[in-house]
Every structure is written in structure tokens, then in C-alpha cells.
Amino acid sequence: MKDNIQTNQAAVSVEGVSKKFGAAVVLDDINFSVLEGETLVLLGASGSGKTTILRIIAGLETPDSGRVILHGKDVTELPARARGVGVIFQNYALFPKMTVEGNIGYGLRLRGRPKSDIAEIVNTLIELTHLEEHRRKHPSQLSGGQQQRVAIARALAYNPEVLLFDEPFGALDAQIRTRLRREIRALLREIKVPSIFITHDQEEALELGDRIAVLNQGRLEQIGTPYNVYNKPATEFVATFLGAANLLLGIVNENRFEAEDIFLKIEPDPKIRDGQSVKLVFRPEDVFLRRPENLTQNYQPLVDGIVEEVNFVGAFERVVVRLNISTRPPILVTRPKSETTVFPLEPGVKVPVGLVRFRILPNYTLASERAARVI
Amino acid sequence: MSANLSNIRHTHGLDVVKPLSITTLILVMMPLVLLPLASIFIFGTSSGLRSFWNALTAPEAVFALQLSIVTSFWATVFNVVFGLFAAYVLTKYNFWGRNALIVTISLPTAIPTAVAGFALLLLWGPYGILGRFLDPHGIHLMFTAAAIILANIFVTFPLAFGVIKPVFDTMNQSLEEASATMGATRWQTFWHVTLPSLRGAILSGALLTFARAVGEFGSTILVSGNLAGRTQTAPLYIFAKFNEGQVEAANAIAIVLALFSFLIFSVLFLARDWLEAE
């Protein structure tokens, strides 16, 4: 997976980075870049290697091969202290014996800046992060959100080359997470410092990232805008990790996807040849259980199915439908309120199943592995 | 939690367990700890403050107190600095034999002090394993103040190490990493980030070491030679005067040592809270 941004215009470039811990391959030839002022989210499950990438960029870990370039300068061999990156650790790592001001000014004191300069910069950052009332407090007297703002201000004080966020919302509860996410998004837009976030939370990734890089077992599966990564997943992993996806096995024949009685017209793809085994990937919200009256969307009928389960889950309804083909695969469908009120469903009802959006991916895994599955 | 625990009711009406257990505690502690300590003060001041003052200001008594304080001070300085270093190395680096080293460092806690003194004699004495090579050059470690410091170091080393090491163990590694990414050298990180978090542990370690060293008897009696006015520490002075039948002289120094311990422990409790408060 190559990122097509040129190194010379990037704030951060990671080139061909690999890392092993003992026999385990943690990172396998990772390449990506972050533009000036851009926020990139590294999304992956635990053990995908995202933390290791962050630590390699920060200089807290050495890659076995590959390079890290910050604003055109190769820093691979430089120790952490000489790189000038700002890291916001998961637990914030604020210095417990220093006040908020002391924490924020630490990087400047290390650089031997005059006291008056330090005071001025600290003041500006305290205002920026709305910590005016807390300037003389110690970290233990602050809430999680306030501590996080101190951690960001502390990293911003010395004009970092890049801000690295290591799962910064991991330790907070759901409500605060959502609020802080928005606050940080707004702050990052304001300061325009290139940033890399790591997270395992897809919602967080979609909301925070200008672009998202999806990692799986040390490999970069896809990098792109949240829209593209979500709607045009390059691999099965991306499709299933970023939101729910239904998968159906079939073959390609004359620009059609075929599986028993299912025939879907597809766009010609030079990477897929006739007769090749493929997977049809579609999101639950892209399934229609009746023929839409207004066919402005790209609707194509799939096959009939029987409703098996109907669950109300707040903002939308979740329906499980078994398709009427020999393997009777269950698929997951979500319907908005507008649809459920005019067209209520109950288990046992026969429905026509159609799709408005789908992807065809080459089937690299064994065809016998599973005929279809609901994720 | 503890507040909730005491609120649990096991009985109706009057609960006799509470007053009974407190009374038992005091009755047991009184003869074991409080009464012996009280008797030092009662006896020491029974023949008047004047004779107490004379006993205290006798040249040999003053010397013994000074020697105890000076030797304990140097043993404390060494044990805190080296205890800090040992704790740092043993926390930061994982190497073969690390656990064996931790056990070895902590070993003096379990060794009888007389054995420690005897061991030092066998090593550094005029006919000792190392001492025999120093002796021809006129270097005599044993039966000097240096021997007392050596004995104090040996006996009290686990104390400072034992207090500092757990704080290192629980210290968040990302604090040091954060400091490094912000531009600090290893030394700057140690000085600005690590050391401030250890203030409480260092002070406790120092006070414990000092308190223990001032009272050290078993090892010092063997290595010092117990020469009055030359190598006699305060505890040795108490023992010598008691043996000579000069109970008042022994008692005067005993009072000073006891007060000293009270003082150290008061500082220990007050300062630790103060240092650990943020």
C-alpha cells in the first residue's frame, strides 16, 4: 500500500518502516505521509502495530529498516529529544510535581529560553486551551479533559514538528470522549499543526481524520479520506473493521457479479478478470428491502429474502434477512425511521432485497472458507 | 472504605468489642514499649537536672554522641546516594542476575548485626582477606571511625534501597518518555522529573537509615574496638557505662538517643505528608 504524496511536500513521511519484536513482525513495510496542517488517523485493532509506528516517529523505538522524515529531514537516527515532536500520551504523562504552568513551560526551559518568553508563550497556550483558572494547580487536581488540554498545550509550547496522539480518549467515558473529540478537532483546525492520532475506535477515526490509515497486523491496508475508506474499502478487512459489512461470495462474468440467482451489473475493473472468484461487499445501510419509489439512487435488485429478526436500536432499525439462495446466508440491514414508519416489517415476511451501493473485492481467502457471513 | 466498615453493626445495644480491644491494645503496649521508654526519663531526671546535665556534658559522652552522629551521617549519605543509584539501575535495566542482585542488596536485613561486624573484621581486619594487603601500607580500616561507617553502611543499606525501589517500580515510564520527547537529556529527565517524584522516598530512606545507624550496636562493638574517646559510639557508651555501674551516665545518653528517635520519626511523618502533597 503506497501513499502517493511526495515526501518533499509532507510534514511527516514514514518510508518503508519495518519492525520485529523477536520473531513477531510488528510492522511490515509501512509507507505514508502527513501533509502540513493535516490530521491523519492510524486506525487498527490492538496489536496492529499503530502504537509502534507512533513510537518510531517519536524516537522512542528504532525501526529495523526504513526512514522517518520530518519536514524534509531524515530523523531516523536522532534520539527522541532531538526530534522536536509533541506526544500526547494515553495517560497524558503530566509531571505530577509541576503545576500546569510548570508542565507547559518545561520544553521551553529545557531549550534555555528566557523567562519572559516562557511566561508569554505559557500564557498564550493557557488561554488557547482555556486553562486560566487552573494555571497553578497540580495535575492530580485536574479532570481528565483538563489534563488532556495541559498535555496538548505542553506539546505545543515548543512548536513541534508534528503532534502525536496515543489513544488520547482511551481513559475517558463515552460522553466526555465525544465532547473532547470535538474540542480537539476545533483546536487542531485552529493551530494547523500536522497531527497523527492513533485509535481503535472507527467513529473517532471518521470524525477526527482528514485522512485515515487502516492498519491490520502490521500492514497498511488502506489510506484515504474518511469518505473513501468507508465507502470504497480496498480490502475485506477495511470493509469490516470500519463499520459493518455484508459479504457474499461469487464470480465475475462479463461485467456481472454472479452467485446462483444473483446477477449484479458491475463497473469494468482491469484488476478483475472473468471467472475470478470475488466478494460482494455491501453496508447494511445500502440495502433496500422494497423497490424504492424514487429511483434516483443506483438501485439494483439482488434476490428475495425472508425477514428473520427485527430489532429496534434507537435511531434506526436493524433487520436480519436470509437470502433466498441455496446457502441461505443471513445479511444485516439497517433502516432509518423514515423507512420503518411507512414500511413496517416483521419476522417471516418475504421481501425483495436490493442494493444502492456495493464493492467487488478479489477473493483472496479460500472460497470454501465461508459462503457468506454477517459481520 | 474503613469508615463504612466501622459502621457495620454486629450487635444490638452496647458494643463491648470496641472499648475492650482498645484497652487490650494499650495494656499490651504499655509494658512492652511505653513503660520502658518512660522509665528512662523517670530515672534519668530522678536525681535532678544538674546531675543529668553533668552526665551529658562529660567529654567522653559528648564525644560518643558526636561520633555516632558523624558516622551515621556519612553512612546515610552513602546509602541514599548509592541506594538511589542501585534502585535506578535495577529498575531500568533487565540483565542476567538482576534478581540475585536485589536479594543480595536486601540480605543485610536478615543478617544478625554481630555477624555483619564479624564478617567485616574478617575482610578488613589486619589479618583479613583484604586487610592483610592494606596493613603493610599503614592503612588500618578496622577499629577506626571508618570501620563504624562501613558497619553502618552494611547494616542499613537495605533501608534506603527498600524505600526508594518500590517508588521507582510504580513510577509511570511514560513520564520519562514524555520528558525525552520534549527535549530533555537523560540527566535532565532524572533531575526534573524522576527525582522530584522520589523526594518523599529519599527523605524517608535517609531518616530511617540515620535512625537505625545512630542506634547500631552489634556490628560496631566488633569493628570499632570500643575505645572511649576514640571509637566509642553512643550505644557503646551506654553499654560501657552500665557495665561500669555508672547508670546515670548511661541513662543521660539513653535519653538523648530516645529523644533523637522521637524527633526523627516526627519529621518522618510530618515531612512525608508534606512532600507527597501536590
Side-chain angles (χ1 to χ4, degrees):
Chain A
M1 182 78 237
K2 277 265 179 186
D3 183 11
N4 42 21
I5 287 169
Q6 291 299 306
T7 303
N8 54 16
Q9 51 177 242
V12 183
S13 288
V14 170
E15 295 180 354
V17 162
S18 298
K19 176 82 183 168
K20 277 185 188 173
F21 287 134
V25 178
V26 183
L27 294 175
D28 184 8
D29 191 24
I30 300 291
N31 293 281
F32 67 83
S33 295
V34 184
L35 291 173
E36 206 55 68
E38 185 189 36
T39 302
L40 177 80
V41 177
L42 293 177
L43 175 68
S46 59
S48 60
K50 54 191 193 302
T51 304
T52 310
I53 296 184
L54 198 87
R55 292 177 64 82
I56 286 175
I57 298 173
L60 298 170
E61 207 84 66
T62 334
D64 296 339
S65 59
R67 302 194 302 162
V68 176
I69 291 158
L70 299 179
H71 290 104
K73 187 181 170 197
D74 188 341
V75 298
T76 319
E77 299 299 321
L78 287 183
R81 71 184 151 85
R83 294 193 182 192
V85 300
V87 186
I88 288 86
F89 288 84
Q90 186 168 16
N91 54 15
Y92 317 126
L94 299 180
F95 306 130
K97 304 286 173 181
M98 290 182 202
T99 60
V100 168
E101 285 178 330
N103 268 283
I104 298 176
Y106 182 67
L108 297 168
R109 291 201 300 280
L110 291 173
R111 283 162 178 76
R113 298 283 290 270
K115 275 194 176 153
S116 54
D117 280 15
I118 298 177
E120 199 185 314
I121 297 170
V122 169
N123 273 335
T124 314
L125 286 167
I126 281 182
E127 276 171 35
L128 179 75
T129 48
H130 309 296
L131 289 163
E132 289 90 343
E133 304 155 40
H134 311 292
R135 55 197 313 150
R136 299 206 196 286
K137 287 185 186 167
H138 282 90
S140 61
Q141 297 165 292
L142 302 175
S143 71
Q146 289 160 353
Q147 289 186 36
Q148 187 174 62
R149 295 209 297 270
V150 178
I152 296 173
R154 185 175 77 168
L156 286 174
Y158 49 93
N159 286 328
E161 302 267 338
V162 58
L163 279 180
L164 305 174
F165 293 83
D166 181 7
E167 305 234 14
F169 309 105
L172 303 165
D173 60 51
Q175 258 187 333
I176 298 173
R177 266 173 110 108
T178 320
R179 183 167 59 78
L180 286 185
R181 212 148 68 195
R182 288 187 187 138
E183 277 181 27
I184 289 200
R185 182 89 183 123
L187 183 69
L188 290 178
R189 290 235 161 98
E190 196 179 333
I191 57 176
K192 296 193 176 65
V193 176
S195 309
I196 299 176
F197 268 89
I198 68 168
T199 182
H200 60 267
D201 184 328
Q202 44 134 334
E203 204 184 302
E204 206 166 289
L206 291 170
E207 189 171 339
L208 282 170
D210 293 321
R211 285 189 303 147
I212 298 176
V214 185
L215 280 162
N216 180 27
Q217 298 185 337
R219 297 182 66 90
L220 193 53
E221 298 254 341
Q222 188 174 5
I223 182 163
T225 61
Y227 182 89
N228 275 343
V229 174
Y230 186 83
N231 290 308
K232 297 174 185 166
T235 64
E236 180 185 338
F237 178 82
V238 176
T240 53
F241 193 73
L242 215 75
N246 294 296
L247 303 174
L248 214 55
L249 270 184
I251 58 159
V252 168
N253 196 11
E254 288 173 357
N255 291 337
R256 282 199 310 184
F257 168 84
E258 297 183 7
E260 293 187 33
D261 298 338
I262 297 171
F263 299 98
L264 288 174
K265 266 188 285 170
I266 58 172
E267 297 284 314
D269 184 343
K271 281 178 280 182
I272 295 168
R273 54 191 159 67
D274 274 2
Q276 186 175 341
S277 167
V278 291
K279 276 188 184 122
L280 171 72
V281 181
F282 52 98
R283 302 239 175 246
E285 66 270 24
D286 294 334
V287 185
F288 270 67
L289 297 181
R290 58 170 177 156
R291 220 183 141 73
E293 288 152 16
N294 185 354
L295 278 181
T296 52
Q297 283 177 302
N298 224 350
Y299 178 85
Q300 284 201 62
L302 197 65
V303 71
D304 286 349
I306 307 285
V307 173
E308 191 168 84
E309 260 181 66
V310 181
N311 294 308
F312 167 73
V313 281
F316 56 87
E317 184 185 76
R318 187 178 284 150
V319 185
V320 177
V321 178
R322 275 198 189 271
L323 297 183
N324 203 2
I325 53 175
S326 63
T327 51
R328 302 189 54 74
I331 62 161
L332 188 66
V333 183
T334 51
R335 305 197 309 155
K337 246 183 202 152
S338 54
E339 183 73 6
T340 56
T341 43
V342 291
F343 182 50
L345 285 175
E346 53 187 64
V349 174
K350 187 178 168 189
V351 284
V353 179
L355 305 178
V356 291
R357 194 189 282 122
F358 58 85
R359 293 273 290 168
I360 299 291
L361 298 174
N363 180 27
Y364 294 124
T365 48
L366 283 175
S368 58
E369 231 177 273
R370 51 190 179 260
R373 64 173 191 178
V374 175
I375 289 100
Chain B
M1 191 69 215
S2 57
N4 293 340
L5 210 65
S6 61
N7 287 337
I8 300 170
R9 287 196 68 117
H10 293 284
T11 52
H12 294 287
L14 180 70
D15 185 0
V16 291
V17 176
K18 183 180 164 184
L20 204 64
S21 45
I22 293 171
T23 313
T24 311
L25 185 67
I26 293 170
L27 285 178
V28 172
M29 294 309 287
M30 287 286 275
L32 283 180
V33 180
L34 297 175
L35 288 180
L37 283 175
S39 57
I40 301 175
F41 292 94
I42 294 164
F43 187 86
T45 49
S46 60
S47 41
L49 280 175
R50 176 139 204 99
S51 65
F52 167 74
W53 183 248
N54 286 340
L56 193 65
T57 51
E60 280 179 15
V62 173
F63 179 87
L65 272 175
Q66 276 175 347
L67 184 66
S68 278
I69 290 170
V70 170
T71 51
S72 304
F73 173 78
W74 288 114
T76 304
V77 169
F78 179 88
N79 279 356
V80 166
V81 172
F82 204 73
L84 195 62
F85 176 72
Y88 184 85
V89 171
L90 290 167
T91 312
K92 289 276 163 253
Y93 307 112
N94 209 345
F95 53 93
W96 190 86
R98 178 169 158 267
N99 283 339
L101 208 56
I102 293 176
V103 173
T104 311
I105 283 174
S106 315
L107 202 60
T109 326
I111 293 180
T113 52
V115 176
F118 192 55
L120 284 171
L121 268 181
L122 292 180
L123 181 69
W124 296 110
Y127 304 104
I129 296 167
L130 291 175
R132 75 174 74 161
F133 299 110
L134 298 177
D135 202 51
H137 302 288
I139 303 170
H140 312 289
L141 276 179
M142 290 297 105
F143 317 121
T144 64
I148 300 168
I149 296 175
L150 269 183
N152 281 344
I153 287 173
F154 185 100
V155 172
T156 61
F157 189 75
L159 295 175
F161 175 78
V163 179
I164 295 168
K165 177 81 168 45
V167 182
F168 261 116
D169 289 339
T170 54
M171 202 178 281
N172 189 346
Q173 200 202 330
S174 56
L175 288 181
E176 293 181 352
E177 291 186 341
S179 175
T181 58
M182 292 172 77
T185 59
R186 210 179 291 201
W187 172 249
Q188 284 172 320
T189 298
F190 181 77
W191 187 254
H192 295 296
V193 176
T194 314
L195 209 54
S197 300
L198 292 169
R199 280 188 310 208
I202 290 172
L203 185 79
S204 321
L207 290 173
L208 280 174
T209 305
F210 192 80
R212 179 76 181 74
V214 161
E216 177 52 21
F217 180 83
S219 61
T220 42
I221 199 161
L222 282 162
V223 299
S224 71
N226 194 13
L227 301 168
R230 283 175 63 196
T231 59
Q232 196 172 57
T233 61
L236 299 187
Y237 180 85
I238 296 174
F239 182 67
K241 289 298 158 193
F242 182 77
N243 275 350
E244 289 165 17
Q246 299 183 38
V247 183
E248 275 189 5
N251 202 86
I253 298 295
I255 287 181
V256 175
L257 288 189
L259 285 175
F260 218 64
S261 310
F262 289 147
L263 186 74
I264 286 174
F265 272 88
S266 311
V267 173
L268 199 65
F269 280 113
L270 295 175
R272 215 157 89 164
D273 285 351
W274 174 68
L275 282 175
E276 278 172 11
E278 275 150 20

